[in-house]
Amino acid sequence: MSFDPQLATIRFGLGLGPQHDLPRSVDALLVEARATPIHAIAHFPDVRPTMADIRQATRDRRAANGTDQEDAVAEKSRQMRRAMAEFRDQSMRAHFARAVDAPTGFAERLTAFWADHFTVLPRNGAAYHLVSGYVEQAIRPHIMGHFRDMLRTAGLHPMMLLFLQQSQSVGAKSVFGLRRKRGANENLARELMELHSLGVDGPYSQTDVTELADLLTGVNYVAEKGFRFDPRGAEPGAETVLGVTYSDHDSLANVEQALDDLAAHPATAQHLAFKLAQYFVADAPDTGLVQAMADAYRLSDGHLGTMVEQMLDHPAAWAGSPARIKSPEQFVASGMRALAVQGTGLLRSNRRSLRLILHTPLRVMGQPWQRANGPDGWPEIGTDWITPQAMAGRINWAMQAPRHLMKGRLTDPRDFVVQALGRFAAQDVIFAAGASEGREEGVGIVLASPAFQRS
């Protein structure tokens, strides 16, 4: 393997920027990734209001209807909605501030990958602002740890339970099931197998899904009480999943053991290795690279840091030029890094600027903030991002955003093309940047160029 600092920053990070030194080795990338749990709260605000606050506000509003407290309670509810909107905005500012301030952005790329792997979506507007907190609590601390820990924290997180309607799942023969004449909901069980561990083509059957769904009954989340395992909702008796029988002692320990077994399964190693290699290296990654990563996962008891290190040490990870199409978020983040945008400036941006620079462009490009189409997250094939509307959105951002971000302090395009693309700047882009009529046009040409769309 021949380490390439510029390729490392573009392929594994979030792009070149004049404010950042190039990494000197693979170890520099690994140090950055290992440090992210320590800095998990950097730039990140406290999550308020909580789901319990929201539920209580709803009850207060209903109770106040028709009373002399109705106006006061309605105003309190409006204040809460404004607080939720501000939290969403501040979370977005924090996300992109980290992206532009990070040495390479490798840790942010890893966090984004796993957040997408464990996609959650709010069931209603009241939960929208809680998605970022879920990523900080359940994903970021584990990106270089054991996958079983992430599978537990993400798979059993309140946001996942709410999204996949686990609160509606009870054993048909449980105390609650007999009383309510209801049975198990298979949403969580299916996604844990199909998306989160074994893969859509994994070695499981519908019977395995049904048995895992029964095993998960009893797992619940109540806003006022938090996460809990309630035996009254658990299906009595033993369940057998993938040939392993879990005792008839209904408990959270059985659930956690089943998740650990999914994490340790060979199919999980292959599924995660392929997805990770695809995300960073190529839409159709080298089979030797994938196998080496899967082997590293298995031999390390599912340690993600070891699998990542194997990826970075493999020659296939460094072959060729940047080829993967950047997602809209990657494109915008790398554009701001190339422009030398500072995180402190993003954190101070007002709502209008946030809409102009981030919210609206990302939606037009096909990646609205934390609004994937379903539990399978964003497209895994880079070319899926290339549609006429999405490309128009990228070009518009390239031509308009730099002026707003830099407020007239744009770099000479002849310097910017090297600043943004390094040795991957094609001659036609260098010529076009130098021949542009003004700095805005020249910088926009570089950001809109095909080379800048790739990582």
Side-chain angles (χ1 to χ4, degrees), residues 132-258:
S132 291
Y134 156 79
V135 174
E136 297 305 302
Q137 296 160 2
I139 303 297
R140 185 179 290 274
H142 304 291
I143 64 169
M144 293 291 281
H146 284 93
F147 181 66
R148 61 173 175 265
D149 296 329
M150 191 188 295
L151 186 61
R152 283 190 187 190
T153 58
L156 300 180
H157 191 278
M159 282 300 294
M160 187 69 74
L161 301 183
L162 290 170
F163 171 42
L164 297 178
Q165 300 174 302
Q166 180 62 21
S167 60
Q168 299 178 17
S169 184
V170 295
K173 297 178 182 178
S174 69
V175 173
F176 288 161
L178 293 171
R179 182 187 306 167
R180 301 170 186 173
K181 294 181 170 52
R182 280 173 30 198
N185 183 312
E186 294 184 353
N187 289 353
L188 179 59
R190 185 172 301 281
E191 306 310 355
L192 283 169
M193 287 185 166
E194 181 176 301
L195 298 180
H196 302 155
S197 60
L198 307 175
V200 66
D201 296 319
Y204 63 91
S205 66
Q206 175 58 43
T207 299
D208 291 314
V209 173
T210 300
E211 290 283 289
L212 181 58
D214 284 341
L215 185 64
L216 289 166
T217 54
V219 170
N220 203 347
Y221 169 74
V222 178
E224 295 77 11
K225 298 179 180 179
F227 173 86
R228 63 177 181 169
F229 184 90
D230 192 336
R232 294 173 297 175
E235 181 72 7
E239 285 84 22
T240 300
V241 182
L242 298 172
V244 179
T245 299
Y246 300 91
S247 72
D248 58 2
H249 179 63
D250 302 312
S251 68
L252 182 59
N254 269 343
V255 172
E256 292 175 337
Q257 184 58 57

Side-chain angles (χ1 to χ4, degrees), residues 311-327:
M311 175 179 70
L312 296 175
D313 282 339
H314 199 282
W318 301 92
S321 299
R324 281 273 297 172
I325 301 298
K326 295 174 181 176
S327 71

Side-chain angles (χ1 to χ4, degrees), residues 9-41:
T9 307
I10 295 171
R11 177 169 288 172
F12 299 107
L14 283 166
L16 304 173
Q19 71 275 41
H20 299 297
D21 294 330
L22 290 172
R24 296 182 179 181
S25 66
V26 164
D27 284 344
L29 298 178
L30 295 172
V31 166
E32 182 179 340
R34 290 173 185 139
T36 192
I38 300 172
H39 304 295
I41 61 171

